[in-house]
Amino acid sequence: MPKLSRPDLHNLTKYVALPKKQRNADFDKALGIKEGMDQQALSALIASWYNSTD
């Protein structure tokens, strides 16, 4: 598993915590962000981005 960028995880954790109406649905869809994701799920999502660029 690649080393995750702390800013990625930190910023996405804060973003996902926003009320859904304050988030951008197109951004969520493009990045694979789903409602209620926890840090473990976000870490796996970020890892998938890095894995797909190898």
Side-chain angles (χ1 to χ4, degrees):
M1 186 160 137
K3 185 176 180 182
L4 299 180
S5 169
R6 284 209 181 282
D8 291 344
L9 182 58
H10 174 77
N11 291 328
L12 278 182
T13 299
K14 289 177 71 173
Y15 175 76
V16 170
L18 291 172
K20 192 171 184 172
K21 67 182 182 177
Q22 290 184 13
R23 298 194 337 239
N24 182 305
D26 292 330
F27 180 80
D28 289 2
K29 183 176 180 181
L31 295 182
I33 297 170
K34 305 219 180 339
E35 185 70 26
M37 292 181 89
D38 61 11
Q39 276 200 333
Q40 183 177 4
L42 288 170
S43 291
L45 178 63
I46 294 167
S48 76
W49 300 338
Y50 287 100
N51 289 335
S52 69
T53 60
D54 287 343

